[in-house]
């Protein structure tokens, strides 16, 4: 009977939290005893709950929470860029008594004051995938080296062009989002051009969305019909670009490169829709983050600094001087 009453209270609490603001806030797990001997709660706040990358991240956090006997409380913004929703989620989680919060910040600068309040109350805060600005606004960062991810596909695109004059379109994320800025800068560095170089003939934001990626590519083709290289922030944007290129009969004439390494994107590389992608590993980010909070709950030891969770260039058309793995490897490691 006590067990049943407790379950009812948890269910009611979840319902109340879900009704708050722009987020879905859910508790996963049985509220088992944590490593410290008390009930330990770990918070996970992702940018959205629809992008396969964040779906896989949540799966990794759930499994790690189960393996370590702790409770995971999760939340996600309504859309990529929903900073207000993430602020509300942080406040809700602190009030719920989480020991640590793992977050993929929607706005790397605007989220900082809310994180500072959480840390002031003794909550361990770890950024996943995207750093805050400044990076030390969180205790630690577990993430892909996004500059390197962009640099790898930039190097690949440069090698694939084999000296041909490049007409580049960059389909980016959104202003103020660190992961988008870093990948963009990395691509330019890898390709060997600087910001403002005349080789970059079009830049459009996509929000990482496939439909917006298609629209962005259509806009770029109107501006510069002779585009022959397309950098995209992620694979949904790349597939949107591919749709626009195919409609113009240009899909075999334009090189498309991207970042993420999801299963859909990796299959698109295998099918020749995307020439290459930089694969990252969200499950590993989340599982490491949960373990770090468990360690903090156990002995007060705080994770700190940056931990690189790895990135691999995936392509079936490798180029000399650019280290890569094929799509067979990518499909073994993909997510989504």
């Amino acid at each position: 009977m006590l067990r049943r009453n407790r379950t009812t209270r948890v269910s009611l609490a979840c319902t109340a939290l879900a009704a708050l603001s722009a987020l879905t806030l859910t508790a996963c797990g049985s509220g088992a005893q944590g490593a410290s001997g008390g009930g330990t709660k770990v918070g996970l706040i992702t940018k959205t709950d629809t992008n396969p990358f964040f779906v896989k991240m949540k799966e990794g956090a759930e499994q790690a929470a189960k393996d370590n006997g702790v409770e995971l409380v999760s939340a996600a913004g309504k859309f990529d860029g929903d900073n207000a929703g993430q602020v509300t989620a942080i406040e809700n989680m602190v009030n719920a008594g989480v020991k640590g919060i793992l977050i993929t910040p929607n706005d790397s600068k605007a989220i900082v004051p809310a994180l500072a309040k959480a840390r002031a109350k003794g909550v361990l805060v770890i950024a996943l995938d995207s750093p805050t600005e400044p990076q030390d606004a969180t205790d630690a960062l577990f993430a892909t080296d996004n500059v390197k991810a962009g640099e790898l596909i930039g190097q690949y695109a440069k090698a694939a062009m084999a000296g041909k004059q490049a007409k580049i379109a960059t389909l980016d994320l959104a202003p103020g989002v660190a992961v988008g800025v870093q990948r963009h800068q990395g691509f330019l560095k890898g390709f060997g051009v600087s910001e403002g170089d005349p080789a970059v003939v079009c830049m459009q934001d996509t929000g990482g969305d496939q439909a917006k990626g298609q629209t962005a590519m259509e806009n770029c083709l109107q501006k510069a019909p002779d585009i022959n290289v397309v950098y995209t922030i992620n694979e949904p944007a790349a597939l949107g670009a591919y749709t626009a290129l195919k409609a113009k009969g240009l899909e075999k004439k334009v090189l498309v490169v991207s970042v993420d390494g999801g299963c859909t994107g990796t299959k698109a590389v295998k099918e020749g829709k995307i020439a290459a992608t930089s694969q990252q590993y969200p499950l590993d980010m989340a599982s490491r983050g949960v373990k770090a909070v468990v360690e903090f709950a156990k002995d007060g030891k705080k994770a700190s600094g940056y931990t690189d969770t790895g990135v691999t260039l995936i392509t079936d058309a490798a180029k000399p001087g650019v280290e890569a793995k094929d799509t067979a490897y990518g499909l073994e490691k993909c997510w989504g």
Side-chain angles (χ1 to χ4, degrees):
M1 189 65 175
L2 288 174
R3 175 73 175 178
R4 184 176 180 182
N5 289 342
R6 183 185 182 281
T7 301
T8 301
R9 289 196 300 271
V10 171
S11 177
L12 289 171
C14 284
T15 301
L17 286 172
L20 289 173
S21 79
L23 295 191
T24 300
L25 186 63
T26 55
C28 307
S30 62
Q33 295 297 298
S36 64
T40 299
K41 295 179 182 179
V42 181
L44 172 69
I45 306 172
T46 53
K47 292 182 179 181
T48 72
D49 59 6
T50 54
N51 187 311
F53 183 86
F54 301 118
V55 172
K56 179 57 66 174
M57 182 177 283
K58 183 177 176 181
E59 288 177 8
E62 287 174 341
Q63 186 60 53
K66 181 179 178 181
D67 292 344
N68 288 277
V70 296
E71 181 180 353
L72 182 74
V73 182
S74 63
K78 278 190 170 182
F79 53 89
D80 200 324
D82 182 14
N83 180 70
Q86 290 195 323
V87 169
T88 300
I90 292 167
E91 293 169 350
N92 290 343
M93 289 182 178
V94 171
N95 290 337
V98 297
K99 195 69 176 176
I101 292 175
L102 315 175
I103 184 168
T104 60
N106 266 321
D107 189 313
S108 56
K109 293 181 180 178
I111 199 66
V112 169
L115 296 178
K117 290 178 182 178
R119 294 176 75 189
K121 292 185 177 181
V123 177
L124 178 70
V125 177
I126 298 175
L128 304 180
D129 181 49
S130 305
T132 52
E133 295 182 54
Q135 186 172 308
D136 63 6
T138 59
D139 293 289
L141 169 66
F142 295 132
T144 305
D145 183 337
N146 282 298
V147 174
K148 182 179 179 181
E151 192 171 352
L152 284 172
I153 56 171
Q155 291 171 347
Y156 177 87
K158 181 71 171 179
M161 289 299 287
K164 286 175 56 179
Q165 184 177 4
K167 300 287 186 179
I168 302 169
T170 68
L171 304 192
D172 299 303
L173 187 56
V177 182
V179 62
V181 173
Q182 291 171 345
R183 291 181 187 181
H184 175 96
Q185 292 175 341
F187 170 79
L188 296 182
K189 179 181 178 182
F191 201 91
V193 295
S194 56
E195 202 72 60
D197 192 290
V200 181
V201 296
C202 187
M203 294 190 295
Q204 293 272 306
D205 291 331
T206 68
D209 178 78
Q210 185 164 338
K212 292 178 181 178
Q214 180 177 343
T215 300
M217 190 72 253
E218 290 167 350
N219 291 340
C220 282
L221 288 172
Q222 287 182 352
K223 181 180 179 181
D226 57 348
I227 287 167
N228 53 16
V229 177
V230 178
Y231 152 81
T232 65
I233 179 62
N234 64 5
E235 292 150 1
L239 290 171
Y242 177 83
T243 299
L245 291 166
K246 188 175 182 181
K248 296 288 187 180
L250 298 172
E251 73 274 17
K252 296 187 183 299
K253 298 179 181 180
V254 179
L255 184 79
V256 180
V257 293
S258 195
V259 178
D260 263 354
C263 294
T264 299
T266 305
K267 288 174 185 175
V269 175
K270 186 174 183 178
E271 294 166 356
K273 297 176 181 178
I274 302 172
T277 192
S278 287
Q279 186 173 67
Q280 52 180 343
Y281 306 102
L283 192 149
D284 190 41
M285 296 177 197
S287 59
R288 289 191 189 202
V290 170
K291 290 173 185 176
V293 176
V294 170
E295 187 72 17
F296 175 60
K298 182 179 179 180
D299 59 17
K301 180 182 178 182
K302 286 188 175 183
S304 62
Y306 167 59
T307 299
D308 185 353
T309 53
V311 63
T312 307
L313 183 71
I314 303 295
T315 183
D316 284 334
K319 303 300 176 185
V322 186
E323 187 177 347
K325 299 281 189 181
D326 63 17
T327 55
Y329 176 91
L331 290 169
E332 287 180 5
K333 301 290 186 180
C334 71
W335 40 267

